[in-house]
Amino acid sequence: MNDAQELIPAARPVIGEAEIEAAVRVLRSGLVVQGPEVAAFEAEFSDVVSNRHCVAVNSGTSALHLTLLALGLGPGDEVIVPSFSFAASANAVRLVGADVVFADIEADSFCLDPAAVEAAITPRTAAIMPVHLYGHPAAMDKIMAIAERHGLAVVEDACQAHAAALNGTPVGAFGNAGTFSFYPTKNMHSLEGGMISTGDAEVARTLRLLRNQGMEKRYANEIVGANVRMTDVSAAIGRVQLTQLHGWTEQRIANAAYLSEHISAPNVVTPIVAEGARHIFHQYTVRIRGDRDAAMASLTEAGIGNAVYYPTPIHRLKPYWEPDQKAGRTWDLPETERAAAEVVSLPVHPGLSAEHLERIVSAANALGEQL
Ligand SMILES: *Cc1c(COP(=O)(O)O)cnc(C)c1O
């Protein structure tokens, strides 16, 4: 890297003055645990999910875990999950004692392949968990039709996909429930945090009980629950970020459009946007045809942040691989394996300048001569 060239980071979490002021305001109020800020954040976030009920928790992983509990999933149930995702998707299934069944992804969208989902259904299948990976909505029209035909629950892992949509319906508003993460590198954050959206008032109430020791009224515990509450400090920060989400998302979409228009190296395959999809580009992920390690080294040399999400598909991670090996169970996931070997994500965040975008394009196009 040329000394004059600053590194363009792969992600750039925002903690601005407004976030700091909101946090200080809550700290000075003395009401820091789950309180009025959390309730306001839930009400405001419901705008993002077609006015569904929203329940805030302390992380995206907790959101997934509690949702599966609230839907009554547990031992003996199978949940169909893509292996090409962050481990949290499958971990939530295993945390409730249910079995993970991996299904392959579509080559173009990187999301669950509806045909593979259908083929993975058994008499024990209880739910499908599509992941809107990189901010691209999964094929929810087809997945919902399969779920209805077989009487299955659908839990959308929308942890990377705030305000993504398919045919005008936002993610998190298709399935029985949707889950969002507010981890710092996500499109908006609350330091740590998560949100569940659901159209079912009963499920929403169960989620509120589960996040707070099973209590609605203090010390009148109705069910067994945990403590996965969001603090009011996090909610206040999340509320500030939510006011920026629309503008930031438009900027991500514009940055992605610029990159796709100008990256022309034949061995760098730019991402697609499926018909009817609003891809909100949590990640801008290309496929490298050729030596990916060399490509990444060359991008780093040019000062372009880059990363692989995810180099090891979940079914190859130890807590999944070892029991499967023992049981003699194998998965046929050719597109998952190919994606894990080929993908690289380039910076697309709203903090990029025009000059940053030009530098990313020229570094990507230089790979055409190098690989
Ligand atoms: C980030 C993420 C999660 C987990 O969210 P946390 O807030 O980090 O717990 C789950 N699934 C996917 C696809 C994610 O990207």
Side-chain angles (χ1 to χ4, degrees), residues 187-208:
N187 286 21
M188 60 171 284
H189 76 85
S190 65
L191 304 181
E192 292 266 19
M195 191 74 81
I196 305 149
S197 60
T198 178
D200 185 328
E202 266 310 302
V203 170
R205 178 160 196 278
T206 305
L207 289 165
R208 289 179 199 286

Side-chain angles (χ1 to χ4, degrees), residues 102-128:
F102 291 113
D104 209 0
I105 54 167
E106 300 176 325
D108 51 1
S109 73
F110 296 109
C111 296
L112 264 185
D113 178 350
V117 169
E118 185 115 52
I121 292 172
T122 77
R124 289 210 287 128
T125 306
I128 308 169

Side-chain angles (χ1 to χ4, degrees), residues 268-304:
V268 180
V269 182
T270 57
I272 62 92
V273 180
E275 176 92 37
R278 173 174 156 89
H279 186 343
I280 51 81
F281 288 99
H282 171 60
Q283 299 293 346
Y284 181 88
T285 302
V286 300
R287 287 178 189 264
I288 302 293
R289 307 273 195 229
D291 185 338
R292 181 174 65 179
D293 288 342
M296 292 175 74
S298 165
L299 290 166
T300 303
E301 178 71 19
I304 312 298

Side-chain angles (χ1 to χ4, degrees), residues 24-109:
V24 169
R25 175 169 50 75
V26 171
L27 289 170
R28 288 201 198 287
S29 79
L31 296 169
V32 294
V33 298
Q34 180 184 293
E37 293 287 338
V38 169
F41 188 28
E42 291 174 339
E44 289 160 8
F45 196 81
S46 81
D47 280 354
V48 177
V49 286
S50 291
N51 299 312
R52 282 192 156 194
H53 305 276
C54 284
V55 180
V57 291
N58 64 356
S59 75
T61 307
S62 297
L64 283 166
H65 185 190
L66 253 59
T67 297
L68 298 182
L69 288 173
L71 294 175
L73 295 165
D77 293 326
E78 290 178 354
V79 181
I80 298 173
V81 179
S83 176
F84 194 56
S85 181
F86 183 47
S89 311
N91 283 349
V93 176
R94 289 278 292 272
L95 280 170
V96 301
D99 292 324
V100 174
V101 171
F102 291 113
D104 209 0
I105 54 167
E106 300 176 325
D108 51 1
S109 73

